[in-house]
Amino acid sequence: AVSLHNVFLIILLGTIFTGLSHTLFIVGLKNVKTQTAGIITTLEPLYGIICAVLIIHEIPSVKTIIGGIIILSTVVYSSLKK
């Protein structure tokens, strides 16, 4: 059975944590360069890994760490390339 509490949490997730964050991101794009916005977007999975480690003490697997290194390496290469 679906409780009223769970319905409230789903509505909260959809409106605040998803809708508001994406709206703020889109509005913020007006103030940054295209390359910077691309880098920020590309690093989102890496932010997720770091937050999982810091907040819920999740230990990333070797594949996750390798994926993070690939993402970070690509961003550094893209930033240094002229």
Side-chain angles (χ1 to χ4, degrees):
V2 178
S3 69
L4 186 59
H5 179 71
N6 287 342
V7 171
F8 171 74
L9 291 177
I10 289 172
I11 291 170
L12 184 67
L13 176 68
T15 56
I16 303 299
F17 300 123
T18 303
L20 181 62
S21 62
H22 281 89
T23 301
L24 291 173
F25 179 74
I26 298 299
V27 170
L29 289 177
K30 295 177 184 176
N31 302 318
V32 296
K33 296 179 186 175
T34 305
Q35 182 179 8
T36 304
I39 290 171
I40 291 169
T41 305
T42 302
L43 288 173
E44 280 187 36
L46 192 60
Y47 302 149
I49 295 168
I50 293 168
C51 286
V53 170
L54 296 176
I55 295 171
I56 61 173
H57 308 289
E58 181 177 322
I59 305 299
S61 68
V62 174
K63 289 181 183 179
T64 303
I65 293 171
I66 291 171
I69 291 170
I70 291 170
I71 292 169
L72 194 56
S73 300
T74 305
V75 167
V76 169
Y77 173 75
S78 173
S79 297
L80 295 177
K81 190 175 109 176
K82 291 185 180 181

